[in-house]
Structure formats: structure tokens, C-alpha cells
Amino acid sequence: MLMHPDIDPVALRLGPVAIHWYGLMYLVAFGLFMALALRRLRHEPYASLTQGEWGWQRRDVEDILFYGVLGVVIGGRLGYVLFYKPAYYFAHPAEIFAVWQGGMSFHGGLLGVLVAMAGFARMRQRPFLQVMDFIAPCVPPGLAAGRIGNFINGELWGRVADPSLPWAMVFRGAGSSARHPSQLYEFLLEGVLLFVLLWLYARRPRRLGEVSAAFLVGYGCLRFIAEFFREPDSFLGFLSLGLTMGQWLCIPMVLGGVALWVWAQRQPAPFVRAAAH
């Protein structure tokens, strides 16, 4: 049985300014996205020499990152407010903007990114799903960084585990019971594993929507599994059928991914650039 390391959530203090580890993890996430998206430009159809419908450039990546950051932050916060604590925030509306107090939702962030990417696609006159297929494989490493931030903060800990489990851990504020380090489980499942699978899958040309569908199904299934080891939010507990809020939010995500996959199979074969001679 291990003890969670008592890490100060503040990584650096510059006078009155405190820089938190979780904030640094957001910067890491955005940096990883930028680096991977630039590599993604080499994949078809984005690597096409044609500068018409399929022409993608570095400035597209920079704009996607800008709008994506807005979508993640605004959507993530509003998602937490509406999905997890609506009654509290309706009674204390000023605290909706107090993001430094914590409280972000992945599913809300996903909805925020969808809206942001819809705006980007319209401005660039690109198919929405082409944009989503582009960014999908670049997202999981950012999710992994966020879970490391959760672990450093000692938050979102796991359910009580058998003390004989070699990696069972006692978290400060969670009592004396050994628990699953569920943040690390999610780091490995939703971050590392999902990234490897999606990146390898997306390297070859795919039908429009296939990569996005794979992300929705993959994340939804892996998050659903990880939730079995994660302690549900104390103010919500277990919901219908003994599932957590995170699991219930994953169900429409998976169903939407399956529906998108079925739709994608009816689309034309993927574009492939002719080999240069």
C-alpha cells in the first residue's frame, strides 16, 4: 500500500501570482496538440499537394488550437456547471466564472470543441467531419496530461481497493483506506492507449467520419471502464443502475460514435494522393 505524495498544487510563485500544476498541464496539453497536429498534416488527405478542397496548412493548425482552447475552457466549465452541480451554481451564479476554484467536465469540453470546430469549418469552408477527423488523434495526449494534473492535486481519487494491491494508494482527504489511483488508470486508458490506437488507425486514409467515430467509441468505452475504479462525486453518488454521471454521459457518446461509423461506411472511398514519380 502506497501513500500519495503530498505535492503542493502550486508549482511556482511569482510574487502574488501562483502558477498551479494543473494549469501547467493545460499548457502541456495544448503544446502536445500543436506538435501532433503539425505531424498530422503529413497524413492523407491533409498532405495532398492540392491547395483546393484538401489543402491544409500550418495556419489551420494554429487557428484550430486557438478556437479549441476557447471551446475546451468555456465548454468544460459550463458542462461541469450544468451536468454536475446545476442547483448550486444557479443559486450562486457569480461562481460560474470562478474557474480557479476547479470544476471542469470533459464531456462539456467536448461539446465546446464541437461548437468551436463547427465555426472553424464554416469560416474555412471545409467539411465539419474533415476537421474533426483531423483533430481526433491529437486529443488523447492532452487528456493524459490533464489526468497527471489530477494525480498531482490528489483529486478524483479511486474507489476503495484491496490493501494487498501493490499500487493501492492512500490519498489525503480520502480517509485511511487504500484506493485505486484511478487518475493513472485514466492516464493509461484514455490518454496513452487511445492515442496509440487512434494515431495508428488515422495514419492511413479513412472515409469521412471514420476517425471521429473511432474516437467517440474508443473514449466512451475506455472512460466507462475507468469509472468502475473511480469514486463518484460525493454530491452525486451513484445514479440509476448503479452507474456514475461519467458513465451515463459516455453512453450517448458511444451510441453517437456507432451511428457515425455506420453513416461513414456509406461514404465514398477515401482520397489518396497519387504517388510521385
Side-chain angles (χ1 to χ4, degrees):
M1 187 171 63
L2 306 174
M3 296 294 295
H4 178 266
D6 190 10
I7 304 174
D8 189 340
V10 176
L12 180 65
R13 296 183 186 275
L14 300 174
V17 179
I19 301 176
H20 290 72
W21 283 108
Y22 198 72
L24 290 178
M25 290 301 102
Y26 264 78
L27 293 179
V28 170
F30 298 142
L32 288 172
F33 177 89
M34 185 71 183
L36 290 171
L38 291 176
R39 293 277 299 179
R40 183 95 171 100
L41 289 174
R42 304 178 186 179
H43 298 169
E44 295 292 0
Y46 312 102
S48 172
L49 297 176
T50 305
Q51 294 301 307
E53 178 185 0
W54 299 104
W56 281 69
Q57 302 173 10
R58 182 187 177 94
R59 65 185 179 91
D60 292 305
V61 174
E62 295 169 349
D63 289 346
I64 283 175
L65 179 60
F66 174 76
Y67 291 114
V69 169
L70 294 179
V72 166
V73 174
I74 297 175
R77 183 58 173 174
L78 292 180
Y80 181 79
V81 169
L82 296 174
F83 297 153
Y84 290 89
K85 303 178 73 173
Y88 176 83
Y89 285 106
F90 287 161
H92 306 83
E95 294 189 28
I96 293 176
F97 305 99
V99 294
W100 56 88
Q101 296 180 1
M104 297 287 282
S105 162
F106 164 79
H107 296 90
L110 175 62
L111 293 175
V113 169
L114 290 175
V115 172
M117 293 305 101
F120 171 83
R122 182 172 183 177
M123 286 187 295
R124 286 288 198 276
Q125 296 184 335
R126 299 184 187 279
F128 170 68
L129 285 175
Q130 183 189 106
V131 176
M132 297 309 297
D133 286 348
F134 178 81
I135 69 173
C138 308
V139 171
L143 302 180
R147 294 310 178 194
I148 292 298
N150 294 144
F151 181 76
I152 291 174
N153 287 347
E155 60 191 6
L156 305 183
W157 51 69
R159 302 184 193 183
V160 174
D162 186 333
S164 65
L165 187 70
W167 54 85
M169 188 171 292
V170 176
F171 289 86
R172 62 183 185 274
S176 59
S177 299
R179 295 178 177 273
H180 290 281
S182 57
Q183 314 97 322
L184 301 183
Y185 295 177
E186 293 185 81
F187 162 79
L188 293 172
L189 291 175
E190 306 159 14
V192 178
L193 178 60
L194 184 60
F195 166 68
V196 171
L197 295 177
L198 277 179
W199 190 261
L200 293 177
Y201 179 75
R203 289 187 66 178
R204 299 185 63 181
R206 302 293 176 182
R207 286 181 169 84
L208 186 67
E210 283 186 329
V211 178
S212 298
F215 174 84
L216 291 172
V217 174
Y219 179 88
C221 290
L222 293 174
R223 172 68 181 271
F224 193 93
I225 294 170
E227 285 282 328
F228 283 114
F229 300 94
R230 176 173 163 177
E231 186 74 14
D233 296 286
S234 59
F235 51 87
L236 287 176
F238 293 99
L239 305 180
S240 300
L241 303 179
L243 301 180
T244 66
M245 174 61 82
Q247 288 174 315
W248 276 111
L249 292 174
C250 284
I251 292 174
M253 188 175 182
V254 172
L255 294 177
V258 171
L260 179 57
W261 177 270
V262 172
W263 176 87
Q265 302 315 299
R266 302 174 182 173
Q267 303 311 301
F271 169 84
V272 182
R273 181 178 63 189
H277 295 285

